[in-house]
């Protein structure tokens, strides 16, 4: 895998970065999304494949990306296909910071030191090339506004953006309601992206221990299994109660 192309976790993180504040939107769920984005990127690279609601390693050779290869090796060591929801819900300490540091080394963001309450040191990240973020955003906007089925990478990015709750960050207010709805609907255009996005939402809803049915084929949503979303549930579908608190403040 060449480094000339941005990976899906990098694109998701750039989407979440607020250009004004230098903080990341939805930091708690974003960590889950980054773990899920790694799975999609590995699938796009032909290293893993869905097996029902599980992930199977089909080609363990390295991709050339150290962070992705670390995830691939961990999956290989499992020895058997692992449920996507269990993988995404596992500990991923430092994953967001790993990608932020990588983006800084690549010159796409720069770190700005500061303090919280005048005491606690914090680090914020400002994009150095806003054209990159605009290009990523334009791909989502085009898929939402034109109705043309997007390519698998953009479809997966849209599914993950919805799953981690970036819809209200990207398309805020009442005027963005229809765009958020269409963003959610793009989940059906990529089977792997849909599987991972549903797993991210399941972890947030506290249903990681419950096995789920395989996702519906691309282009057809199973009638018995409505799209679930922790940040913005579909109309008429009650939200699953969360277990535990996700209100812990995380310094950016």
């Amino acid at each position: 895998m060449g480094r000339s192309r941005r990976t899906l976790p990098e694109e998701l993180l750039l989407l979440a970065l607020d250009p004004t504040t230098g903080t990341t939107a939805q930091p708690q769920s974003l960590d889950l999304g980054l773990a899920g984005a790694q799975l999609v990127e590995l699938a796009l690279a032909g290293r893993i494949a869905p097996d029902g609601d599980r992930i199977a390693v089909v080609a363990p050779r390295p991709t050339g990306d150290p962070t992705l290869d670390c995830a691939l090796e961990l999956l290989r060591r499992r020895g058997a296909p692992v449920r996507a929801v269990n993988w995404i819900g596992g500990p991923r300490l430092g994953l967001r910071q790993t990608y932020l540091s990588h983006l800084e080394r690549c010159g796409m963001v720069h770190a700005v030191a500061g303090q919280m309450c005048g005491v606690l040191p914090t680090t914020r990240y400002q994009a150095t090339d806003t054209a990159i973020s605009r290009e990523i955003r334009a791909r989502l906007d085009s898929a939402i506004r034109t109705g043309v089925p997007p390519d698998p990478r953009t479809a997966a990015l849209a599914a993950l953006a919805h799953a981690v709750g970036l819809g209200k960050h990207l398309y805020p207010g009442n005027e963005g309601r229809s765009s958020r709805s269409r963003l959610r609907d793009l989940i059906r255009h990529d089977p792997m992206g849909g599987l991972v996005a549903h797993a991210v939402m399941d972890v947030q809803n506290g249903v990681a221990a419950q096995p789920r049915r395989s996702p519906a084929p691309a282009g057809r949503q199973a009638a018995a299994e409505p799209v679930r979303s922790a940040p913005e549930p579909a109309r008429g579908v009650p939200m699953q109660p969360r277990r535990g608190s996700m209100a812990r403040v995380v310094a950016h």
Side-chain angles (χ1 to χ4, degrees), residues 93-252:
L93 295 177
L95 187 58
R96 180 163 30 117
Q97 185 58 51
T98 295
Y99 276 107
L100 283 169
S101 298
H102 171 74
L103 291 176
E104 184 181 17
R105 288 192 301 272
C106 292
M108 284 188 275
V109 303
H110 70 276
V112 179
Q115 289 184 329
M116 180 183 294
C117 302
V119 178
L120 299 176
T122 62
T123 303
R124 301 175 186 274
Y125 292 85
Q126 299 286 350
T128 56
D129 188 352
T130 56
I132 295 176
S133 297
R134 288 197 301 269
E135 182 272 329
I136 298 170
R137 172 68 179 271
R139 282 164 43 209
L140 285 188
D141 290 345
S142 177
I144 286 173
R145 292 169 181 167
T146 65
V148 176
D151 62 275
R153 180 174 295 274
T154 301
L157 181 62
L160 287 164
H162 166 69
V164 303
L166 290 184
K168 291 183 178 179
H169 169 71
L170 299 171
Y171 307 103
N174 289 332
E175 64 275 13
R177 185 183 297 274
S178 61
S179 292
R180 294 195 299 271
S181 177
R182 287 192 289 271
L183 180 71
R184 178 193 63 208
D185 292 341
L186 289 174
I187 200 172
R188 72 182 187 273
H189 287 292
D190 179 60
M192 184 65 180
L195 168 65
V196 170
H198 276 110
V200 169
M201 291 186 284
D202 280 349
V203 173
Q204 293 179 82
N205 288 336
V207 294
Q210 302 176 14
R212 63 178 295 118
R213 291 185 295 274
S214 301
R220 180 171 61 87
Q221 191 76 23
E225 188 176 2
V227 172
R228 294 193 298 277
S229 170
E232 189 176 3
R235 294 187 182 91
V237 180
M239 183 183 293
Q240 295 277 353
R242 296 189 182 189
R243 295 178 184 173
S245 171
M246 297 193 64
R248 181 170 57 87
V249 175
V250 177
H252 306 300

Side-chain angles (χ1 to χ4, degrees), residues 2-41:
R3 294 304 301 137
S4 60
R5 186 176 65 184
R6 295 178 302 273
T7 65
L8 201 57
E10 293 163 7
E11 291 194 329
L12 183 65
L13 186 52
L14 286 171
L15 266 184
L17 272 180
D18 189 306
T20 302
T21 65
T23 60
T24 52
Q26 303 296 118
Q28 297 282 358
S29 55
L30 181 61
D31 290 343
L32 302 175
L34 290 174
Q38 286 186 314
L39 293 180
V40 179
E41 190 66 49

